[in-house]
Amino acid sequence: DAGITQSPRHKVTETGTPVTLRCHQTENHRYMYWYRQDPGHGLRLIHYSYGVKDTDKGEVSDGYSVSRSKTEDFLLTLESATSSQTSVYFCASATGAEETQYFGPGTRLLVL
Amino acid sequence: AQSVTQLDSQVPVFEEAPVELRCNYSSSVSVYLFWYVQYPNQGLQLLLKYLSGSTLVESINGFEAEFNKSQTSFHLRKPSVHISDTAEYFCAVSSPISGGYQKVTFGTGTKLQVIP
């Protein structure tokens, strides 16, 4: 399995505070993705990256920003957390856009 | 725009019985197709994928899926399920977008519950 980790694994925060989630991969994969998983919605793409400093929006990007300053790290920031952003967040990486995505273990975020 | 439909949100099945998890997609271009499995409290793992060639693809643990272009389907089947197959299964479709990149869309998932 690809070495992909997420931190923190669990977080509780209050509405209006900024939150940053980190994804770290050791496979030198070019592509990285952030998804959120909610009951009845499956996985929805928030943002993705196709290289260092190259990122683009997914289908549910409002309220989120990302940064990728190194190949191995992809950060997701909730600029001002809202209760609707309570979810499980998954990071994934891949060698190519059409290739298998390798997923991290997820981060459970609760916004009170 | 592409989309993926998994009509069954939950599928209960008795152990050693066959199962089929349905997946239909829509896309105006050629696609790659994937099935991922998610065990409780874990991330998703690739089960099998179709990129080209034979329309029937198999996984190492006995699952298979057949790409049917005319019906735009990629149903997942297993002739005899085991308790350990209890998990949530996600179908995904990947197709090219501008700039040479691929867009991946996941279905809403099907929870397979194997009953002893």
Side-chain angles (χ1 to χ4, degrees):
Chain A
D1 289 341
I4 183 164
T5 58
Q6 294 182 232
S7 60
R9 293 293 313 280
H10 301 87
K11 187 170 182 65
V12 180
T13 191
E14 294 185 347
T15 298
T17 60
V19 176
T20 295
L21 308 182
R22 180 178 182 244
C23 178
H24 180 77
Q25 53 106 351
T26 59
E27 302 298 318
N28 201 34
H29 286 171
R30 179 182 177 189
Y31 288 81
M32 296 187 76
Y33 308 82
W34 275 108
Y35 295 93
R36 59 177 291 173
Q37 184 178 29
D38 304 287
H41 291 278
L43 270 76
R44 291 181 291 176
L45 181 65
I46 305 172
H47 282 279
Y48 66 98
S49 169
Y50 44 91
V52 174
K53 297 186 179 178
D54 291 325
T55 65
D56 206 349
K57 296 179 179 180
E59 59 184 304
V60 290
S61 59
D62 288 348
Y64 302 95
S65 62
V66 290
S67 66
R68 191 163 179 209
S69 58
K70 297 185 290 185
T71 298
E72 57 266 34
D73 290 324
F74 193 33
L75 303 180
L76 176 71
T77 298
L78 288 66
E79 293 141 7
S80 177
T82 68
S83 59
S84 64
Q85 293 176 311
T86 291
S87 186
V88 181
Y89 291 85
F90 286 99
C91 173
S93 70
T95 55
E98 73 278 13
E99 296 298 329
T100 302
Q101 293 190 22
Y102 295 91
F103 283 80
T107 294
R108 291 185 177 273
L109 176 67
L110 174 61
V111 183
L112 300 174
Chain B
Q2 68 186 23
S3 65
V4 179
T5 302
Q6 292 182 249
L7 288 172
D8 304 308
S9 59
Q10 296 190 47
V11 173
V13 61
F14 286 105
E15 192 174 16
E16 297 184 2
V19 70
E20 178 180 83
L21 306 183
R22 295 179 292 171
C23 173
N24 289 89
Y25 69 92
S26 66
S27 176
S28 59
V29 297
S30 296
V31 298
Y32 302 126
L33 295 159
F34 303 81
W35 276 100
Y36 286 84
V37 59
Q38 184 180 32
Y39 299 103
N41 299 313
Q42 294 185 26
L44 279 70
Q45 308 170 33
L46 180 72
L47 188 60
L48 46 77
K49 64 182 177 183
Y50 170 79
L51 301 182
S52 64
S54 173
T55 57
L56 183 67
V57 290
E58 299 177 351
S59 72
I60 58 173
N61 57 353
F63 283 93
E64 64 178 30
E66 186 162 18
F67 170 52
N68 188 318
K69 187 175 182 179
S70 63
Q71 297 186 4
T72 60
S73 68
F74 191 54
H75 301 330
L76 182 69
R77 303 183 182 95
K78 188 170 185 179
S80 176
V81 295
H82 190 267
I83 292 291
S84 60
D85 294 324
T86 294
E88 190 161 16
Y89 293 79
F90 292 90
C91 182
V93 60
S94 172
S95 62
I97 57 175
S98 61
Y101 306 112
Q102 296 271 339
K103 177 181 179 181
V104 180
T105 302
F106 284 83
T108 53
T110 298
K111 291 185 178 179
L112 174 62
Q113 181 184 5
V114 180
I115 305 165

